[in-house]
């Protein structure tokens, strides 16, 4: 028996291994084929003399080229760039259409209706969360893992491809129930700091970015399992580090349960409600129903990966990779703004001055400055204010919608992530220095600022 090691260029995943192996086995005389995407080699076992030219033609029929891969960082394949550019255009168009149509406000409106606190409305709130801003965090993670699993297991049936999404969501529902019960029992001791949540967002986003790069095939070196942006240990735990890694329902379920800790404003709002019940059983039921409500949105975005096949699958995975990278970029920018607001997050547009430098949304009541802000589904209105130094500020925040913006965070004001209750909320502080005080939602998606100035001398006369 002869063994021939055939170098092959352009392989990126297990799907490539399967296609090349099938093509080579059609050559008469070939007994067994072992293709390694990591080594860039197809090892052919044969009991007859087969010209390399015949094997090379089989490789070309499969859509690849014979020869050693140059391990380039950026691909020169025009087809890859074409698919990626089309995906960017389609996603940009979808984003613009959502903004101009007003559909982005729908989740906030649903959240407002669902804020009554009944168990049925908690599930409705979950539906709103699964279709809104939290999709960038949890949905992006689901799409990354499910698309990568489908790419690494091209021979799997549709049901087998659905397993990661099903296990993830089952783990999410069960995990939310168990962790919700702990929240009802432990209360506020369960909450994490804003910086800790931001670091978690960075880790999740890096997972998404590394998987997204692999899916797009823009970097052959990364796609072949070379340098990664994540610690190898974490990649091994998630089984995203190699094509032949064994899939585990348990790992997917634990990943779903772990999203309980991610800083989604919808999730945090329901967690606070669950905490307020003081009952572990009721808190667990509330969180499980919320997770159940997110099921349609999350299954929808991940389930597409189970349906695509063949050449369509290759293009879809590139499209999914671009979407995952976009989600990762959104999350990373938000986390960076939370970790370094002075460097990343610009202050809100200057507030219009009503009199003597105070903004129109600030009124003096004796020696107290009353600042009024409305928290809506898409942020804070107005998002800027101007107050005087050294005078107490009574900040009245009217929470008009349950959304990510309901999770308020401001290191400048000493506010760790807190969830605004529906309706009026009152915070007090006394600014001790001039400058800009920034605040945001817990995910760093929506921002506002309070500018502190010296009181004019005429006012103090």
């Amino acid at each position: 028996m002869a063994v021939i090691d055939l170098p092959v260029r352009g392989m990126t995943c297990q799907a490539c291994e399967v296609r090349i192996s099938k093509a080579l086995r059609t050559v008469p005389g070939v007994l067994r084929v072992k293709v390694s995407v990591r080594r860039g080699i197809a090892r052919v076992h044969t009991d007859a003399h087969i010209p390399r030219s015949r094997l090379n033609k089989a490789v070309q029929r499969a859509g690849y080229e014979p020869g050693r891969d140059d391990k380039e960082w950026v691909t020169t394949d025009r087809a890859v760039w074409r698919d990626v550019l089309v995906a960017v255009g389609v996603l940009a168009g979808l984003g613009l259409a959502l903004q101009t149509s007003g559909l982005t406000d729908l989740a906030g409106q649903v959240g407002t209706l669902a804020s009554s606190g009944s168990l049925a409305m908690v599930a409705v709130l979950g539906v709103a969360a699964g279709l809104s801003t939290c999709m960038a965090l949890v949905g992006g993670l689901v799409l990354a893992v499910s698309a990568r699993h489908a790419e690494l297991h091209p021979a799997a049936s549709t049901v087998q491809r659905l397993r990661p999404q099903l296990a993830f969501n089952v783990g999410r529902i069960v995990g939310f129930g168990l962790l919700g019960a702990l929240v009802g029992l432990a209360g506020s001791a369960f909450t994490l700091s804003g910086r800790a949540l931001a670091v978690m967002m960075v880790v999740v986003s890096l997972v998404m970015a590394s998987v997204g790069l692999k899916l797009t095939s823009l970097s052959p070196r990364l796609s072949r399992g070379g340098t990664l942006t994540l610690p190898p240990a974490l990649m091994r735990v998630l089984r995203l580090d190699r094509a032949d890694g064994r899939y585990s329902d348990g790992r997917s379920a634990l990943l779903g349960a772990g999203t309980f800790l991610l800083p989604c404003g919808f999730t945090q709002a329901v967690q606070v409600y669950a905490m307020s019940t003081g009952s572990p059983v009721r808190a667990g039921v509330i969180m499980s129903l919320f997770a159940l409500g997110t099921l349609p949105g999350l299954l929808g975005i991940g389930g597409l990966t189970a349906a695509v096949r063949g050449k369509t699958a290759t293009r879809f995975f590139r499209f999914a990779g671009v979407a995952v990278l976009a989600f990762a970029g959104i999350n990373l920018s938000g986390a960076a703004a939370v970790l370094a607001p002075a460097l990343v997050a610009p202050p809100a547009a200057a507030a219009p001055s009503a009199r003597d430098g105070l903004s129109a949304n600030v009124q003096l009541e004796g020696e107290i400055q009353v600042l009024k802000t409305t928290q809506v589904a898409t942020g804070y209105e107005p998002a800027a204010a101007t107050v005087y130094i050294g005078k107490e500020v009574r900040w009245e925040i009217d929470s008009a919608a349950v959304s990510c913006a309901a999770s308020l965070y401001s290191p400048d004001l000493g506010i760790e992530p807190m969830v605004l209750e529906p309706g009026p909320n009152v915070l007090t502080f006394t600014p001790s220095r001039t400058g800009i005080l920034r605040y945001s939602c817990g995910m760093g998606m929506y921002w506002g600022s309070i500018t502190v100035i010296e009181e004019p001398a005429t006012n103090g006369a």
Side-chain angles (χ1 to χ4, degrees):
M1 180 184 295
V3 178
I4 302 173
D5 283 340
L6 196 68
V8 181
R9 289 202 302 264
M11 292 190 294
T12 60
C13 63
Q14 190 178 15
C16 302
E17 295 178 346
V18 172
R19 283 192 287 267
I20 293 170
S21 180
K22 285 183 177 179
L24 288 172
R25 283 200 296 268
T26 62
V27 178
V30 172
L31 299 177
R32 191 168 72 253
V33 179
K34 176 65 176 177
V35 183
S36 171
V37 67
R38 284 182 171 274
R39 298 177 60 199
I41 290 176
R43 175 160 290 181
V44 180
H45 297 260
T46 176
D47 60 357
H49 174 70
I50 304 176
R52 278 184 175 264
S53 59
R54 186 176 299 174
L55 297 175
N56 289 339
K57 287 181 179 178
V59 169
Q60 289 173 331
R61 285 198 304 270
Y64 302 85
E65 291 297 326
R68 295 197 175 275
D69 208 313
D70 56 6
K71 295 184 179 180
E72 56 192 0
W73 282 104
V74 180
T75 185
T76 56
D77 190 334
R78 292 183 178 180
V80 172
W81 282 106
R82 178 200 62 209
D83 292 344
V84 168
L85 290 175
V86 169
V88 169
V90 170
L91 289 174
L94 286 174
L96 183 61
L98 286 173
Q99 287 184 346
T100 56
S101 65
L103 290 177
T104 52
D105 297 333
L106 181 60
Q109 296 169 8
V110 173
T112 302
L113 295 174
S115 60
S116 64
S118 72
L119 294 181
M121 288 298 98
V122 167
V124 175
L125 187 59
V127 175
L131 299 173
S132 62
T133 53
C134 292
M135 178 63 74
L137 192 57
V138 183
L141 184 60
V142 170
L143 181 60
V145 174
S146 58
R148 184 61 176 161
H149 175 268
E151 187 187 35
L152 296 178
H153 301 84
S157 65
T158 300
V159 174
Q160 290 172 328
R161 288 187 174 200
L162 279 172
R163 283 181 63 180
Q165 294 90 274
L166 295 175
F168 179 95
N169 282 284
V170 169
R172 182 172 162 86
I173 294 170
V174 175
F176 269 47
L178 295 175
L179 294 173
L182 288 177
V183 164
L185 185 66
S188 59
F190 196 83
T191 59
L192 298 175
S193 70
R195 290 188 175 274
L197 291 172
V199 169
M200 290 179 63
M201 281 183 64
V202 170
V203 173
V204 171
S205 299
L206 288 177
V207 172
M208 291 162 55
S210 64
V211 175
L213 282 173
K214 285 178 174 288
L215 291 171
T216 61
S217 300
L218 283 176
S219 176
R221 179 171 289 192
L222 291 179
S223 295
R224 287 187 58 192
T227 304
L228 290 170
T229 56
L230 283 176
L234 180 57
M235 295 300 289
R236 285 195 296 271
V237 169
L238 296 175
R239 292 295 183 183
L240 301 174
D241 61 328
R242 61 184 186 272
D244 58 348
R246 292 182 59 191
Y247 166 72
S248 167
D249 286 332
R251 276 188 292 269
S252 291
L254 286 175
L255 187 62
T259 58
F260 183 90
L261 300 174
L262 296 180
C264 167
F266 280 99
T267 305
Q268 291 176 330
V270 179
Q271 286 171 346
V272 169
Y273 170 54
M275 189 186 304
S276 68
T277 65
S279 166
V281 175
R282 185 170 176 82
V285 171
I286 288 171
M287 295 309 305
S288 287
L289 284 175
F290 173 77
L292 185 64
T294 64
L295 190 64
L298 298 182
L299 270 183
I301 193 171
L304 290 173
T305 61
V308 292
R309 301 280 175 177
K311 293 183 178 179
T312 302
T314 301
R315 290 185 174 180
F316 173 79
F317 291 143
R318 289 172 186 162
F319 183 93
V322 173
V324 169
L325 286 174
F327 285 144
I330 293 172
N331 294 325
L332 282 173
S333 65
V338 170
L339 293 171
L343 298 177
V344 180
S353 177
R355 66 189 187 288
D356 299 329
L358 290 177
S359 55
N361 57 331
V362 178
Q363 299 293 326
L364 277 174
E365 295 183 1
E367 291 299 310
I368 298 179
Q369 305 174 92
V370 180
L371 165 60
K372 295 187 177 182
T373 304
T374 302
Q375 174 261 306
V376 296
T378 55
Y380 310 98
E381 296 178 353
T386 303
V387 299
Y388 293 144
I389 187 175
K391 283 191 173 183
E392 181 179 338
V393 176
R394 176 185 170 89
W395 191 9
E396 299 179 354
I397 309 173
D398 182 16
S399 180
V402 179
S403 77
C404 179
S407 174
L408 187 67
Y409 174 61
S410 175
D412 292 344
L413 294 170
I415 301 174
E416 285 297 333
M418 61 169 289
V419 179
L420 300 173
E421 296 182 0
N425 296 261
V426 178
L427 303 173
T428 59
F429 65 94
T430 301
S432 58
R433 61 178 176 82
T434 59
I436 297 174
L437 305 175
R438 294 174 172 83
Y439 61 92
S440 72
C441 72
M443 291 178 66
M445 301 292 183
Y446 305 116
W447 281 87
S449 63
I450 301 172
T451 302
V452 182
I453 63 173
E454 294 282 358
E455 183 175 4
T458 54
N459 279 22

